[in-house]
Amino acid sequence: MAGQMGSVRQGRIVGQLKTAGVSVGDRNEKEEEMSVQDYLDNHLLSRKIEDAVNAAVKAKASDPVLFISNHMKKAFPSVITKVKARQILDSRGIPTVEVDLHTNKGMFRASAPSSDASGMYEATELRDGNKGLYLGNSVSKAVKNVNEKISEALVGMDPTLQTQIDKAMMDLDKTEKKSELGVNAILAVSIAACKAGAAQKEVPLYKHIAGLSGNGHLTLPVPAFTVISGGKRAGNNLAIQEIMILPIGASKFEEALQMGSETYHHLKAVITEKYGAHGCNVGEDGGFAPNILSIKEVLDLVKEAISRTDYNDQIKLAIDVAATDFCIGTKYDLDYKSVDKGQNFKSADDMIEMYKELCSEYPIVSVEDPFDKKDWEHTKRFSSLGICQVVGDDLITSNPKRIKRAIEESTCNALLVKINQIGTVTETIEVMKLAEDAHWGVVMAHRCGETEDSFIADLAVGLSTGQIKAGAPCRGERLAKYNQLLRIEEELGDNAFYAGEEWRKSP
């Protein structure tokens, strides 16, 4: 067939287009033909159409019109044509920003997760403050900033140029903490642009992210499933924020998710047997919230649940203390949520002894925020013991300056990455590289105010973080991340690598 048709000649195409450009009314035919020729020359259309038709012939396309249309789309670089934002609700029913970013390839949607409070070292969420609208939490100002200022700055830009897009927004904001435009506005656009960039390159999102970071080894992270919620995340008396399980003994992510789900449901049965069904209410992250004060008592519940599975040593434990929430001066009040407050105050040294005891009695491999966010001394002292991974969250808030200090002073040995603490995809990659160069562990993390956007799943794989913390194997906004990881593993097939026992190694 190709031999019979031969190559479609440029002259024939030009002639056909000229025929389509016959003059109308009182316009001169020669001028009309020249205008078509000029148009063809200016846009190099003749050669591009010829290439498209020849490609269709070579491919023996069953639908040549569709084939040529798709081929022509690839011939033109994608640009951002429109950026439109709106206010939506996060998993707590509190407003956040969602963005639709349009290119000539399509529309790409992203939303910004949100937190319960912005720390002094993290980027600032812009909220209206009008108590008559969502109790002051409305984000119409941030939405307006996207629709007017950010959109105007980005229209016409190439979505594959992530660094330039993020820099354009930072230059537009001009503040260190993104307080002018709002990190909720900037981040939603940054994520949407990243998705558009992947579409332009015609690669999966995680591979596009890997390309942006220079990572050549894709890794499925070990999930840290929240199974018990406490602290500010639940209405029980437990002071620490959460207890997690890490299925590091799984051979692939699909198996890890199965381990997490089965253990979670066994835990539900254990709690029901001991405390009744009311003990199975869940916290904001989906973990069970039995009204128990003792840390050891809840750890025993989790240990019992694991023993009812066939996994045992394949599952390890982690705790997020969030100690800042119950630090009073230099003491820690483990009864701060109790109605009948006791005298359970502990010094920082007492807390170190408590952690040492817990790690010796239970298979705890990671402790997050063991001390107040200002207590660098005791965090360093505990980390120096080398008994577990010590994760910095409130201590460093994904802030590059604080990360550098923690690295220089050997304060902790793992970074919790929260993308809305820093604010753009580019900056997230940069802080990840700081941790990687220091041979730290890295945990990709969700926020208490989550959306159905699964972006951090692709981010964790693309950056090979080795660990991801997205809540319980329960609640749609949490499972969106875990289910996306299932899809990625399936897509990678034989090339899929699950971090497993290497959960703390850098790529």
Side-chain angles (χ1 to χ4, degrees), residues 223-239:
F225 296 112
T226 303
V227 290
I228 296 286
S229 294
K232 290 184 177 180
R233 300 286 185 268
N236 55 10
N237 287 331
L238 185 65

Side-chain angles (χ1 to χ4, degrees), residues 171-200:
D171 289 345
L172 192 63
D173 182 276
K174 295 184 177 64
T175 67
E176 183 178 357
K177 295 175 63 179
K178 301 176 177 64
S179 56
E180 181 69 25
L181 298 177
V183 69
N184 38 358
I186 292 173
L187 178 61
V189 175
S190 183
I191 295 173
C194 192
K195 293 178 180 180
Q200 169 63 19

Side-chain angles (χ1 to χ4, degrees), residues 389-466:
Q389 173 179 260
V390 180
V391 185
D393 177 16
D394 292 339
L395 181 78
I396 50 183
T397 62
S398 304
N399 183 300
K401 293 179 180 178
R402 297 179 71 80
I403 293 170
K404 289 175 183 177
R405 176 185 170 184
I407 291 171
E408 291 169 359
E409 299 180 10
S410 301
T411 309
C412 52
N413 54 37
L415 167 67
L416 193 79
V417 179
K418 291 178 175 176
I419 53 178
N420 74 327
Q421 285 185 334
I422 186 65
T424 64
V425 173
T426 298
E427 291 168 293
T428 300
I429 291 172
E430 289 172 353
V431 298
M432 164 66 190
K433 287 182 176 179
L434 288 175
E436 178 186 331
D437 291 344
H439 304 291
W440 278 17
V442 180
V443 186
M444 186 62 63
H446 63 162
R447 298 311 311 260
C448 59
E450 265 299 335
T451 72
E452 301 91 343
D453 197 320
S454 61
F455 180 73
I456 63 169
D458 286 84
L459 193 60
V461 175
L463 299 182
S464 294
T465 61

Side-chain angles (χ1 to χ4, degrees), residues 247-460:
I248 65 172
S251 60
K252 57 183 181 178
F253 182 82
E254 181 182 14
E255 185 182 355
L257 185 58
Q258 179 183 333
M259 287 182 176
S261 175
E262 291 178 1
T263 304
Y264 184 80
H265 287 285
H266 278 299
L267 179 58
K268 182 177 181 179
V270 171
I271 294 172
T272 301
E273 291 167 10
K274 294 192 176 185
Y275 304 101
H278 65 276
C280 294
N281 293 331
V282 299
E284 288 183 350
D285 299 341
F288 295 116
N291 198 21
I292 302 170
L293 179 64
S294 167
I295 299 174
K296 285 191 174 184
E297 191 173 348
V298 293
L299 286 169
D300 285 336
L301 292 176
V302 178
K303 192 175 179 180
E304 170 65 21
I306 295 172
S307 72
R308 295 188 183 188
T309 70
D310 295 326
Y311 308 128
N312 297 316
D313 293 341
Q314 293 177 285
I315 296 178
K316 302 299 181 183
L317 304 183
I319 59 176
D320 177 5
V321 184
T324 298
D325 292 342
F326 54 92
C327 180
I328 302 174
T330 59
K331 299 284 187 177
Y332 295 88
D333 182 9
L334 293 175
D335 283 349
Y336 87 103
K337 294 174 66 180
S338 176
V339 176
D340 302 318
K341 279 184 172 287
Q343 295 296 317
N344 196 10
F345 287 89
K346 291 186 179 292
S347 67
D349 289 338
D350 293 335
M351 294 291 281
I352 288 180
E353 292 303 312
M354 182 185 76
Y355 297 139
K356 288 168 62 178
E357 183 178 344
L358 292 176
C359 289
S360 66
E361 294 183 17
Y362 302 91
I364 296 171
V365 294
S366 182
V367 177
E368 180 182 332
D369 278 346
F371 301 96
D372 179 66
K373 62 185 178 184
K374 298 179 181 178
D375 193 346
W376 292 71
E377 177 189 349
H378 288 93
T379 304
K380 178 179 180 178
R381 192 182 303 176
F382 177 56
S383 183
S384 69
L385 298 176
I387 59 178
C388 67
Q389 173 179 260
V390 180
V391 185
D393 177 16
D394 292 339
L395 181 78
I396 50 183
T397 62
S398 304
N399 183 300
K401 293 179 180 178
R402 297 179 71 80
I403 293 170
K404 289 175 183 177
R405 176 185 170 184
I407 291 171
E408 291 169 359
E409 299 180 10
S410 301
T411 309
C412 52
N413 54 37
L415 167 67
L416 193 79
V417 179
K418 291 178 175 176
I419 53 178
N420 74 327
Q421 285 185 334
I422 186 65
T424 64
V425 173
T426 298
E427 291 168 293
T428 300
I429 291 172
E430 289 172 353
V431 298
M432 164 66 190
K433 287 182 176 179
L434 288 175
E436 178 186 331
D437 291 344
H439 304 291
W440 278 17
V442 180
V443 186
M444 186 62 63
H446 63 162
R447 298 311 311 260
C448 59
E450 265 299 335
T451 72
E452 301 91 343
D453 197 320
S454 61
F455 180 73
I456 63 169
D458 286 84
L459 193 60

